[in-house]
Amino acid sequence: MRGKKIIGGMVLGAAVLSLAVVLMLRAGGREEDGEFASGAVNAGNKPAVGIIEINGIIVGGRSYGSLFGESHTGSQTVMAQLRQVSRNPNIKAVVLRVNSPGGTPAAAQEITGELLKLKKSGVKVVASMGDVAASGAYWISSVSDRIVASPGTITGSIGVVIQARNYQGLFDKLGVEERTFKSGPYKDMGSPGRPVTGEEIEIFQSMVDDTYHQFVDLVSAGRKLRPEEVNRLKGRVLTGRQAQKAGLVDDLGNFYDAVSLAGEISGLGRDPRVVSLTPRRHWWSFWEEMESSLGVGRIPLTDIEAYPGVLLLCPPVGVGDLKGGAAR
């Protein structure tokens, strides 16, 4: 019996060690904030185009990944990267490689604010859209000097959503009673234990409307469109080709086309030197990757209804949801 326990412990230890090694080697883990890393990202001494990746849900705080490949872009991480660019005279342009369905308004605004400051300093910004660059991801992309998307990229979704669940009927069937003690009538707005009141509906809608107007104003200014033209889209998703016709995208092409364009508009030519602006990761970051995989200490944004706040998210669109090129 003792021998079996020893063998079992050795097997378990080997499994844990293997998992630790895999996590340490993975490139999809949390990126260390540029400003807080032990050294600045080294772009060399020659002019170059810098690449910044925006993957997954966009949230406040630092970027992080998970054991299962899911990644989140933190505004704090991206802002630090952009500030490093502003301090490096050799980086003449930045390509934002965007593959994200959106995120929270505040996170998108934080990143956008740093992008606008960077542009004022003379650095060119090109957004390169991957599979999806919608809602909050389009919010960020809209302030770029140029936007490049593939014809089949899912983008647009210029809109705002707040969703609340009501489990009162289920609670009644299960015999579950929820009692709430609150300091004001609106403190538990959106509670799943009761229906939303008429006054609360008006408050929620006012929040959505205000955030939406901020979104429209930003896109109108960035894309030089009239607000009516943006409103006419009614928050729908578009393909990259449709977005180009609507004035939301400048050029159709891939990542390398975006890099060439960035080089061209920054004076580096069509074949510029390219550097990754992803900050250096430390060996211990795999523990935080494991933590995020287990859902410890993270806001669960994979389900948009699970987040109690305003969101700029594109609804999930799968291959089975696309019929005749239009989103269901």
Side-chain angles (χ1 to χ4, degrees), residues 161-167 190 192 300-309 311 313:
V161 62
I162 295 179
Q163 293 188 326
R165 290 171 173 163
N166 178 13
Y167 295 140
L301 284 177
T302 50
D303 182 351
I304 63 173
E305 295 182 37
Y307 183 71
L311 288 170
L313 273 173

Side-chain angles (χ1 to χ4, degrees), residues 245-261:
K245 293 179 180 179
L248 301 183
V249 166
D250 295 298
D251 304 288
L252 298 180
N254 59 27
F255 168 73
Y256 294 105
D257 295 322
V259 170
S260 294
L261 180 59

Side-chain angles (χ1 to χ4, degrees), residues 11-324:
V11 171
L12 179 60
V16 172
L17 180 60
S18 299
L19 177 62
V21 171
V22 169
L23 288 171
M24 289 173 66
L25 294 177
R26 272 179 44 87
R30 186 183 67 78
E31 296 172 353
E32 188 70 39
D33 267 292
E35 284 189 336
F36 303 103
S38 58
V41 174
N42 181 15
N45 297 319
K46 297 180 180 179
V49 171
I51 310 300
I52 292 178
E53 296 184 7
I54 296 179
N55 297 313
I57 306 296
I58 302 166
V59 295
R62 300 180 179 181
S63 299
Y64 62 95
S66 74
L67 174 62
F68 305 105
E70 181 184 359
S71 60
H72 293 70
T73 290
S75 59
Q76 186 175 336
T77 298
V78 178
M79 287 191 295
Q81 290 172 296
L82 293 171
R83 290 205 166 196
Q84 283 197 4
V85 171
S86 68
R87 294 192 291 266
N88 191 325
N90 289 316
I91 300 178
K92 305 299 182 181
V94 167
V95 171
L96 299 174
R97 180 57 174 174
V98 185
N99 196 5
S100 165
T104 65
Q109 288 173 327
E110 286 191 323
I111 295 172
T112 300
E114 290 300 321
L115 280 172
L116 291 173
K117 293 175 185 176
L118 190 64
K119 287 178 60 179
K120 286 183 179 179
S121 71
V123 177
K124 299 298 183 181
V125 178
V126 174
S128 170
M129 296 181 169
D131 291 329
V132 58
S135 206
Y138 186 78
W139 180 305
I140 294 170
S141 302
S142 68
V143 301
S144 303
D145 292 296
R146 299 287 285 273
I147 298 177
V148 180
S150 294
T153 294
I154 298 299
T155 186
S157 191
I158 300 172
V160 183
V161 62
I162 295 179
Q163 293 188 326
R165 290 171 173 163
N166 178 13
Y167 295 140
Q168 185 176 28
L170 176 62
F171 288 170
D172 291 342
K173 290 182 179 180
L174 296 176
V176 176
E177 181 181 358
E178 181 179 84
R179 300 189 65 181
T180 301
F181 305 94
K182 52 190 178 181
S183 59
Y186 307 122
K187 183 59 180 174
D188 66 335
M189 281 176 52
S191 169
R194 64 174 178 80
V196 181
T197 67
E199 290 181 333
E200 290 171 345
I201 290 174
E202 292 181 2
I203 294 172
F204 276 132
Q205 190 61 52
S206 70
M207 294 171 62
V208 168
D209 292 343
D210 181 58
T211 308
Y212 175 67
H213 290 319
Q214 296 176 48
F215 199 166
V216 171
D217 289 344
L218 185 78
V219 172
S220 298
R223 300 301 305 166
K224 296 180 173 56
L225 296 171
R226 298 190 307 275
E228 308 85 67
E229 294 178 281
V230 181
N231 287 326
R232 198 176 299 139
L233 298 173
K234 299 181 179 179
R236 61 163 292 188
V237 294
L238 304 98
T239 65
R241 188 163 64 177
Q242 290 172 332
Q244 185 187 38
K245 293 179 180 179
L248 301 183
V249 166
D250 295 298
D251 304 288
L252 298 180
N254 59 27
F255 168 73
Y256 294 105
D257 295 322
V259 170
S260 294
L261 180 59
E264 186 176 22
I265 66 176
S266 63
L268 300 181
R270 296 285 296 176
D271 188 22
R273 179 170 171 266
V274 177
V275 295
S276 172
L277 299 179
T278 300
R280 180 158 49 97
R281 294 175 62 223
H282 295 298
W283 66 267
W284 58 79
S285 65
F286 80 93
W287 289 116
E288 295 192 10
E289 183 168 337
M290 181 181 291
E291 175 187 282
S292 65
S293 300
L294 299 174
V296 179
R298 302 293 186 186
I299 298 176
L301 284 177
T302 50
D303 182 351
I304 63 173
E305 295 182 37
Y307 183 71
V310 181
L311 288 170
L312 306 173
L313 273 173
C314 173
V317 178
V319 175
D321 297 325
L322 298 177
K323 298 180 180 179

